[in-house]
């Protein structure tokens, strides 16, 4: 499944920009657009370092460590830790009192950003349509190959190394919050759910797929986070939501084929059945990826982005 992070005003890099606020036909079909264009002059406030040989972006509240903070693990979409917008998103949480650790969960292999733009004309010629279709298929194949390289068996061990280091490096923040909090966008959303699940130890360590049936008597590894919040997840199945064991806030997009209504609805029923505390809000009229920091012209998207951030922030602070 593709991970369309930002479907509106989503150029493939900070230097490129779509000619319209509408997603290209190629992006409607497949692909992972890059960052939205950051505000002019916007700069991230944190630093990049290494935990257990994993690159991480760390951003802290201005008054830390003089004032206590809580530890927040931020898991990105396909554009990864080095994305300017993802760093600015992390900074927003830091400005609200969280010590934020954002790992490079892709090991330096962020999603490809091959550009495939539609013709400007409303009625492109047959030749232009063929060219677009070929480009779309090529891009879809490239994204699928990228996703195949970043499975739970590859990503979970990276996150395990980071959380182990975090508990040592920032023991005060972990203790102050009573555990690690987590927020995930797009690709990262599923991993918040997995970290919040009671997986068997082999699955949690990436030795087997979480989807594989666990043998009776397997050692379990409880949830690695205290509470989580996710926005417009991708590759999420009903089982991922059923496995969630800690409080979770879910930001979703109406009619989002990357997080379909039926998966969301079945997951909500499972959370209710397990009596797992949760909150779910569906935002209409916004693109998949809208909750990630970016320079949008559409006031409705800007307003919804602010609302989603407030929703997730209040949930984390309340837990």
């Amino acid at each position: 499944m593709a991970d369309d992070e930002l479907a509106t005003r989503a150029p493939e890099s900070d230097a490129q920009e779509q000619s319209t606020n509408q997603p290209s036909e190629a992006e409607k079909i497949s692909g992972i657009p890059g960052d939205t264009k950051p505000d002019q002059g916007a700069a991230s406030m944190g630093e990049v370092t290494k935990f257990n040989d994993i690159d991480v972006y760390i951003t802290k509240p201005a008054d830390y460590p003089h004032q206590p903070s809580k530890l927040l693990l931020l898991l990105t979409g396909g554009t990864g830790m080095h994305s300017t917008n993802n760093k600015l998103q992390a900074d927003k949480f830091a400005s609200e009192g969280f010590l934020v650790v954002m790992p490079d969960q892709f090991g330096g292999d962020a999603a490809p950003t091959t550009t495939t733009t539609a013709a400007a004309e409303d009625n492109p010629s047959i030749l232009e349509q063929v060219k677009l279709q070929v480009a779309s298929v090529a891009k879809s194949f490239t994204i699928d190959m990228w996703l195949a390289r970043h499975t739970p068996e590859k990503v979970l061990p990276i996150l395990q190394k980071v959380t182990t280091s975090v508990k040592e490096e920032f023991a005060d923040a972990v203790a102050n919050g009573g555990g690690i909090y987590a927020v995930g966008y797009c690709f990262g959303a599923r991993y918040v759910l997995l970290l919040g699940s009671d997986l068997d130890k082999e699955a949690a360590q990436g030795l087997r797929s979480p989807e594989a049936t666990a043998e009776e008597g397997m050692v379990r590894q409880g949830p690695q986070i205290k509470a989580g919040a996710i926005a417009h997840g991708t590759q999420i199945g009903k089982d991922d939501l059923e496995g969630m064991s800690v409080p979770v806030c879910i930001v979703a997009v109406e009619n989002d084929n990357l997080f379909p209504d039926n998966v969301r609805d079945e997951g909500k029923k499972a959370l209710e059945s397990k009596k797992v505390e949760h909150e779910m809000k569906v935002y209409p009229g916004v693109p998949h990826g809208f909750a990630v920091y970016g320079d949008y012209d559409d006031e409705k998207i800007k307003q919804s982005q602010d609302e989603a951030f407030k929703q997730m922030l209040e949930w984390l602070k309340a837990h």
Side-chain angles (χ1 to χ4, degrees):
M1 184 182 293
D3 182 2
D4 279 2
E5 276 205 43
L6 296 170
T8 298
R9 197 176 172 86
E12 298 299 340
S13 73
D14 290 344
Q16 294 175 303
E17 185 173 350
Q18 301 271 28
S19 60
T20 170
N21 276 347
Q22 297 303 314
S24 73
E25 289 304 313
E27 288 169 350
K28 290 178 184 177
I29 296 169
S30 180
I32 305 179
D35 290 341
T36 51
K37 185 178 178 183
D39 291 340
Q40 293 297 320
S44 56
M45 304 299 293
E47 62 177 357
V48 175
T49 186
K50 284 186 181 291
F51 277 176
N52 227 328
D53 291 327
I54 307 298
D55 283 343
V56 295
Y57 176 77
I58 299 175
T59 179
K60 306 171 184 177
D63 52 3
Y64 177 84
H66 304 294
Q67 292 294 325
S69 181
K70 296 180 180 180
L71 198 291
L72 177 65
L73 184 71
L74 192 153
L75 304 182
T76 72
T79 47
M81 181 207 77
H82 294 287
S83 153
T84 299
N85 287 355
N86 289 335
K87 290 178 179 178
L88 293 172
Q89 187 73 46
D91 290 347
K92 289 182 68 174
F93 283 105
S95 71
E96 294 290 344
F98 286 93
L99 194 165
V100 185
V101 174
M102 183 169 67
D104 177 11
Q105 63 214 40
F106 308 122
D109 179 31
T113 53
T114 308
T115 304
T116 54
T117 7
E121 293 84 356
D122 291 334
N123 299 298
S125 68
I126 293 176
L127 177 60
E128 287 168 335
Q129 292 179 47
V130 170
K131 287 180 179 178
L132 177 60
Q133 185 63 31
V134 170
S136 299
V137 171
K139 184 172 185 178
S140 179
F141 177 76
T142 301
I143 295 302
D144 288 344
M145 291 295 289
W146 179 82
L147 289 170
R149 295 197 299 272
H150 299 288
T151 61
E153 294 92 324
K154 296 289 182 64
V155 177
L156 284 174
I158 292 174
L159 300 182
Q160 183 99 4
K161 287 182 178 180
V162 172
T163 54
T164 298
S165 296
V166 157
K167 291 174 183 177
E168 297 175 358
E169 185 73 18
F170 299 118
D172 59 330
V174 175
N176 183 55
I180 296 173
Y181 295 82
V183 60
Y185 296 88
C186 302
F187 182 100
R190 185 189 182 203
Y191 289 87
V192 170
L193 299 179
L194 291 175
L195 290 175
S197 297
D198 182 24
L199 299 176
D200 69 80
K201 196 167 185 177
E202 287 190 356
Q205 293 177 346
L207 300 177
R208 55 185 290 277
S209 169
E211 291 91 348
T213 303
E215 296 178 11
E216 188 174 350
M218 273 189 167
V219 177
R220 311 295 295 183
Q221 179 170 309
Q224 301 299 295
I225 59 174
K226 180 179 180 180
I230 66 173
H232 34 69
T234 62
Q235 296 189 295
I236 290 176
K238 182 183 70 170
D239 290 348
D240 298 319
L241 288 161
E242 285 180 343
M244 192 65 171
S245 300
V246 301
V248 60
C249 169
I250 300 172
V251 168
V253 175
E254 187 178 48
N255 301 321
D256 184 359
N257 63 355
L258 298 176
F259 190 16
D261 293 356
N262 65 308
V263 173
R264 209 172 57 230
D265 293 343
E266 290 176 8
K268 182 174 176 61
K269 290 177 183 177
L271 292 170
E272 290 171 349
S273 177
K274 289 178 62 177
K275 294 182 170 52
V276 173
E277 188 180 358
H278 63 281
E279 175 182 280
M280 182 182 295
K281 182 174 180 180
V282 179
Y283 289 76
V286 295
H288 181 95
F290 80 97
V292 179
Y293 180 89
D295 178 21
Y296 289 100
D297 287 335
D298 190 319
E299 287 299 324
K300 177 176 176 54
I301 297 177
K302 289 181 179 180
Q303 181 180 349
S304 295
Q305 188 178 89
D306 289 342
E307 290 177 7
F309 177 73
K310 183 179 179 181
Q311 178 190 347
M312 298 168 84
L313 178 67
E314 290 182 351
W315 177 267
L316 294 170
K317 285 187 172 182
H319 293 83

